Amino acid sequence: MPSISKRVWGALALAVALPLALTSCGGDSGDKIVIGTKFDQPGLGLRSPDGSMSGFDVDVARYIANELGYPEDKIEWKEAPSAQRENLIQNGQVDFIVATYSITDARKEKVDFAGPYLITGQSLLVRADDDEITGEASLQNNKKLCSVAGSTPAQRIKDKYPGVQLQEYETYSECVEALKNGAIDAVSTDEVILAGYAAQQPGVFKIVGEPFSEERYGIGLKKGDSELRSKIDDAIVKMEQDGSWKKAWDDNLGGAGIPAPTPPQPDRN
Ligand code: GLU
């Protein structure tokens, strides 16, 4: 092609290659790191309409990314709904996930976890004026309960309370909307998540009963990547020791009406 110079071809090749390089998700190859989190859980992982991210999980993820050599402007956030988390990791669409993600044996068959970095427990959210639902036992009385597909709370309800009318939505924000407009009677998931929603709309909802499980939040990553896992564990320990963990809790969930948990030690096994 005599009419097109080498230089033009070079520029064209760059124009094609550059965006590919920038969106590459491998932490080692690209200059960005791709982190999966929730986009609709206030206090934990929330994306505002202007695109800015906030929440305890987001702050934990930011701290870890920075320790790995990726400051804020090198982070690409990807939404990680409950049912898609293992897939996103296995397909290499994210480098790691910080998204209210409980460490379980079933999940460990597909992915590895650093952490735990937070421990909470399953609870119930109802409308503030509800005086019939006082704990998980009262759900058996023909009450409609919402939880999320692919989550440990939904699975626990199916296993332990088969009489409950469980509706599985894709996200907790959809459950909370349905609770508000009366389509369902209660939402069940981890207490910290419920507290985040309750704090966002004061006076509309309340948490009832005591937590009835132990949810240990870990950071999901590719199975077998023990190097990344141990670097993330180191970052968690550092975050807990230098006061950043406590600050992240206070900033994001300090006003949500639940006691501040003790920072846990990573398992490292
Ligand atoms: N921690 C639970 C889980 O990993 C519930 C929260 C969620 O679905 O993100 O399934």
Short mmCIF file of all heavy atoms in Angstrom, two decimals, residues 12-24:
data_model
loop_
_atom_site.label_atom_id
_atom_site.label_comp_id
_atom_site.label_asym_id
_atom_site.label_seq_id
_atom_site.Cartn_x
_atom_site.Cartn_y
_atom_site.Cartn_z
N LEU A 12 -1.91 4.00 13.60
CA LEU A 12 -3.16 3.23 13.64
C LEU A 12 -3.05 2.06 14.61
O LEU A 12 -3.94 1.80 15.41
CB LEU A 12 -3.50 2.69 12.25
CG LEU A 12 -4.24 3.66 11.33
CD1 LEU A 12 -4.39 3.05 9.93
CD2 LEU A 12 -5.60 4.01 11.91
N ALA A 13 -1.91 1.38 14.53
CA ALA A 13 -1.71 0.23 15.40
C ALA A 13 -1.76 0.66 16.86
O ALA A 13 -2.38 0.02 17.70
CB ALA A 13 -0.36 -0.44 15.10
N LEU A 14 -1.14 1.79 17.15
CA LEU A 14 -1.15 2.31 18.53
C LEU A 14 -2.57 2.66 18.98
O LEU A 14 -2.98 2.34 20.09
CB LEU A 14 -0.32 3.59 18.58
CG LEU A 14 0.97 3.54 19.39
CD1 LEU A 14 1.61 4.91 19.42
CD2 LEU A 14 0.71 3.04 20.80
N ALA A 15 -3.32 3.28 18.05
CA ALA A 15 -4.67 3.70 18.38
C ALA A 15 -5.53 2.49 18.74
O ALA A 15 -6.44 2.56 19.56
CB ALA A 15 -5.30 4.46 17.20
N VAL A 16 -5.22 1.36 18.12
CA VAL A 16 -5.98 0.15 18.43
C VAL A 16 -5.46 -0.49 19.71
O VAL A 16 -6.22 -0.92 20.57
CB VAL A 16 -5.88 -0.86 17.25
CG1 VAL A 16 -6.51 -2.19 17.64
CG2 VAL A 16 -6.57 -0.28 16.02
N ALA A 17 -4.12 -0.52 19.83
CA ALA A 17 -3.52 -1.25 20.95
C ALA A 17 -3.69 -0.54 22.29
O ALA A 17 -3.88 -1.16 23.30
CB ALA A 17 -2.04 -1.50 20.69
N LEU A 18 -3.63 0.79 22.26
CA LEU A 18 -3.61 1.53 23.51
C LEU A 18 -4.86 1.31 24.37
O LEU A 18 -4.73 0.96 25.54
CB LEU A 18 -3.37 3.02 23.21
CG LEU A 18 -2.75 3.80 24.35
CD1 LEU A 18 -1.38 3.23 24.72
CD2 LEU A 18 -2.60 5.27 23.95
N PRO A 19 -6.06 1.51 23.78
CA PRO A 19 -7.24 1.29 24.62
C PRO A 19 -7.29 -0.14 25.16
O PRO A 19 -7.74 -0.37 26.28
CB PRO A 19 -8.41 1.54 23.67
CG PRO A 19 -7.85 2.24 22.50
CD PRO A 19 -6.39 1.91 22.44
N LEU A 20 -6.81 -1.11 24.39
CA LEU A 20 -6.80 -2.50 24.85
C LEU A 20 -5.92 -2.62 26.09
O LEU A 20 -6.29 -3.24 27.07
CB LEU A 20 -6.29 -3.44 23.76
CG LEU A 20 -7.28 -3.72 22.62
CD1 LEU A 20 -6.61 -4.59 21.56
CD2 LEU A 20 -8.53 -4.40 23.16
N ALA A 21 -4.75 -2.00 26.00
CA ALA A 21 -3.82 -2.08 27.13
C ALA A 21 -4.44 -1.44 28.37
O ALA A 21 -4.31 -1.96 29.47
CB ALA A 21 -2.51 -1.38 26.78
N LEU A 22 -5.13 -0.32 28.18
CA LEU A 22 -5.67 0.39 29.33
C LEU A 22 -6.81 -0.36 30.00
O LEU A 22 -7.04 -0.22 31.18
CB LEU A 22 -6.15 1.78 28.90
CG LEU A 22 -5.02 2.76 28.60
CD1 LEU A 22 -5.59 4.07 28.08
CD2 LEU A 22 -4.18 3.02 29.85
N THR A 23 -7.55 -1.15 29.22
CA THR A 23 -8.67 -1.85 29.84
C THR A 23 -8.28 -3.25 30.30
O THR A 23 -9.07 -3.94 30.91
CB THR A 23 -9.86 -1.98 28.86
OG1 THR A 23 -9.36 -2.56 27.66
CG2 THR A 23 -10.50 -0.66 28.56
N SER A 24 -7.05 -3.63 30.02
CA SER A 24 -6.61 -4.95 30.45
C SER A 24 -6.78 -5.08 31.95
O SER A 24 -6.52 -4.16 32.70
CB SER A 24 -5.15 -5.15 30.09
OG SER A 24 -4.53 -6.03 30.98
#
